[in-house]
Amino acid sequence: MDQATDAPTEPAGARAKPRVRDAEATKARILDAAKREFAKNGLGGARVDVIAEKARANKRMIYHYFGSKEGLFQTILENAYVDIRTAEQKLNLDHLAPREALERLVRFTWDYYLKNPEFITLVNSENLHRARHLKKSEVIKIVSRKLVSMVGSILERGVASGDFRAGIDPVQLNITIAAIGYYYLTNRFTGSIVFERDLMAKPALEERLRFNIDTILRLVAA
Amino acid sequence: MDQATDAPTEPAGARAKPRVRDAEATKARILDAAKREFAKNGLGGARVDVIAEKARANKRMIYHYFGSKEGLFQTILENAYVDIRTAEQKLNLDHLAPREALERLVRFTWDYYLKNPEFITLVNSENLHRARHLKKSEVIKIVSRKLVSMVGSILERGVASGDFRAGIDPVQLNITIAAIGYYYLTNRFTGSIVFERDLMAKPALEERLRFNIDTILRLVAA
DNA sequence: TCGATAATGCACTAACTGGTTACTTTTCTG
DNA sequence: CAGAAAAGTAACCAGTTAGTGCATTATCGA
């Protein structure tokens, strides 16, 4: 998706000819534009014409490559999940002390949501549609299992080292780690009104991250 | 909204004449139908014609009473917030021991989300629209302050009694209590796929509530 | 009982929406 | 270099959408 495809109008360094037509680049531009549009307006609110325009592509191309608006959404959603799960795996937490590993995971989850706000909105949109698209995906389950087992092994190591208490369900912990960051950020607009403070101000964000790390460490502490 | 208005075609007990025309009842039916539709499909996805039909009212009535689709949404959103905040105030937690009071609040929040799933979806929809409608509301701030001060006083009492540690921000605690329930329920569809278990099965719900109470009590414990 | 007012219904529209048909242009292969 | 295949375009379509103009009907106070 973010491969180094040349802009279609300028010549590449290696290739002599400028590719005026570049299927991969067009596809990538469509996916990028669509991710933004779906994130901004949801599946129902996003407009195919707008996506085509922002992708500097013809609407027909969207139907050529992705079949339908929903097909496009499904691709983007699947990519979004694979992206975050891949990034998590790269954290390499196995060689860290259990408490340190858990803190890193909480911090990563928070930072990822902050830097990729479209992930949250896409997931929200998918849940509004009762996970209709995700149901069809097989790759989701595979990458998700890795996350659960990752948290599971941190918990195990923590129990063995005496840092964590026993009997904690990795899935519940996983959900909680996601929840305390996700909720804060997805509801940042209503939250800022309800609590009468700018939840997205830098000090507020830093305070929340500290609070979240604290919450999780207290939750697992022996 | 849920006042005992007579169905427009049947005679009331006290009133002799059947009110063929009943502005309040029509309004109430529109609000009820709209709440369901907006919750099911979001602001963008909801259809005014469908709302009118389900409310057994003419579409013209919606524009007569609420001005626009967005005006209708705003009314429903405001009502939704007032409803939950009112229910919270009725909990009367002041005379309970701090730990007991906090557990009750976590339990109430969870139960409320479970019984009123449309609240979550309405809030999600409003955040997709950057709280455009909530911004215009004044009553929201008033009812929200009561919630924050309620949690604040539980915390104070807990610190005084030696049950809770000092220095916890009531707003952060509030957000966390909401988050651990809200996230689980709003993402129940994708969550059930990602974690390969039915998150809405009765034992799963009970387990989650127990886990959430535990999370909050450990978070505040001295 | 009458007339003002509020409630209601029908038919309409202008703009939009996802999706398609028919066509042109570029690229690649033998 | 021919011509097939792939990439790309513009105009269009049928169905939908929020919103309205206007006539009608019920209610209620005087």
Side-chain angles (χ1 to χ4, degrees), chain A residues 42-96:
Chain A
L43 170 57
R47 297 294 161 236
V48 178
D49 289 271
V50 174
I51 293 170
E53 192 186 351
K54 293 205 173 170
R56 285 170 291 129
N58 191 280
K59 187 168 57 155
R60 194 66 190 80
M61 290 292 92
I62 291 173
Y63 289 93
H64 182 58
Y65 290 127
F66 302 101
S68 66
K69 187 186 181 183
E70 302 232 344
L72 177 59
F73 183 79
Q74 194 178 327
T75 304
I76 281 158
L77 187 73
E78 210 169 64
N79 287 346
Y81 269 100
V82 170
D83 287 351
I84 189 174
R85 294 292 104 97
T86 305
E88 276 160 1
Q89 289 304 314
K90 281 185 191 157
L91 283 176
N92 237 304
L93 303 177
D94 293 329
H95 60 88
L96 293 173

Side-chain angles (χ1 to χ4, degrees), chain B residues 15 18-21 46-49 59-60 63 69:
Chain B
R15 291 182 71 98
R19 294 188 72 186
V20 178
R21 294 188 164 192
R47 297 295 160 234
V48 178
D49 289 272
K59 186 168 56 154
R60 196 71 193 75
Y63 290 93
K69 188 187 180 182

Side-chain angles (χ1 to χ4, degrees), chain A residues 14-28:
Chain A
R15 291 183 70 97
K17 270 186 219 165
R19 296 190 72 187
V20 178
R21 295 190 162 192
D22 190 328
E24 288 307 309
T26 305
K27 246 191 217 176

Side-chain angles (χ1 to χ4, degrees), chain B residues 12 31 38 90 101 103 122 131-132 136 144 154 175 181 185 191 213 215:
Chain B
L31 284 170
F38 283 134
K90 281 186 189 155
E103 177 174 338
L122 290 171
R132 179 158 34 108
K136 300 175 193 164
S144 300
I154 295 173
I175 292 175
L185 293 172
I213 292 169
T215 301

